[in-house]
Amino acid sequence: MRGSGSFLGILLGAGVAAVSAMAGHDAAGMDPDMALRELLDGNRRYVESRRAFPHQDSVLRRRLASGQHPIAIVLGCADSRVPPEIVFDQGLGDLFTVRVAGELPDTLTLGSIEYAVEHLGAHLIVVLGHEKCGAVDAALHATTASGHIAALLAAIRPVIQGAHEAGHDQLDSAVRANVRHVVDELKADAPLAAGIKSGQVKIVGGEYDLDSGRVELLP
Ligand SMILES: [Zn+2]
């Protein structure tokens, strides 16, 4: 069923990838607004099934062996359906990803994020929650939890208590409240706050839609 339209799509996709490969990886300390545009452009390609699959060739792989300059840090849920490199159509060396169920930071993940800002030159931080998050759902509804899962749910529970956003059901309101809380927590982290104050660092929150694939930035 593949016609000339698909072939054209492949050609255009290769063009996008080539341009992006030239621009992306040498951009140490990329302006956070520009990085955000790159991610949202990539997400649009993903939603519209025209991914460019940038930065995945062996030449670049070897070049990256000598150093990395990711354009953004993504603190996202560990959910297997929300891999940042795929949903933002990025490649090797593009994203510094930190993932944990429910995307709540702790001292270790904060250390990773601060490292990526200070030593790798990433100035955009995206907190990425998603529709129907199992961790948030369990924090809302589970009455028992085994092992360390209990600690995970206990960390999320107070953050989402009483969350209710017009136009969103209970779980979705909780997911969005959780993302906003994490954004605020990161903004309060002293080294990151200093970066925000100087205008170098930007932190945004987003929610990924499992059905459409779209990432909505939260106001
Ligand atoms: Zn999740």
Side-chain angles (χ1 to χ4, degrees), residues 76-82 100-103 128-136 175:
C77 184
D79 193 296
S80 64
R81 299 165 294 180
V82 196
V100 61
E103 70 272 357
L128 187 60
H130 65 97
E131 181 196 11
K132 296 175 191 164
C133 180
V136 174
V175 164

Side-chain angles (χ1 to χ4, degrees), residues 158-198:
V159 172
I160 59 175
Q161 209 154 30
H164 178 71
E165 188 175 339
H168 297 272
D169 63 21
Q170 185 192 29
L171 175 54
D172 208 39
S173 295
V175 164
R176 294 162 77 91
N178 188 50
V179 168
R180 290 191 179 101
H181 169 83
V182 175
V183 169
D184 288 344
E185 206 171 319
L186 295 184
K187 284 180 176 173
D189 180 66
L192 300 180
I196 293 169
K197 199 174 173 191
S198 70

Side-chain angles (χ1 to χ4, degrees), residues 43-145:
N43 180 244
R44 196 172 306 115
R45 294 194 299 273
Y46 168 70
V47 167
E48 295 170 0
S49 295
R50 49 179 188 88
R51 280 196 288 156
F53 302 98
H55 310 150
Q56 293 170 36
D57 60 279
S58 57
V59 175
L60 180 72
R61 185 179 67 227
R62 280 191 287 273
R63 185 144 65 89
L64 282 170
S66 62
Q68 57 169 325
H69 301 293
I71 63 170
I73 300 157
V74 179
L75 171 58
C77 184
D79 193 296
S80 64
R81 299 165 294 180
V82 196
E85 283 84 356
I86 293 179
V87 308
F88 289 118
D89 193 22
Q90 300 296 309
L92 295 170
D94 290 329
L95 302 180
F96 187 95
T97 58
V98 180
R99 296 177 67 184
V100 61
E103 70 272 357
L104 275 185
D106 60 14
T107 53
L108 300 180
T109 49
L110 278 171
S112 295
I113 292 168
E114 289 172 15
Y115 172 79
V117 171
E118 194 175 324
H119 297 281
L120 305 181
H123 292 153
L124 171 68
I125 304 170
V126 179
V127 177
L128 187 60
H130 65 97
E131 181 196 11
K132 296 175 191 164
C133 180
V136 174
D137 192 19
L140 274 175
H141 298 116
T143 49
T144 59

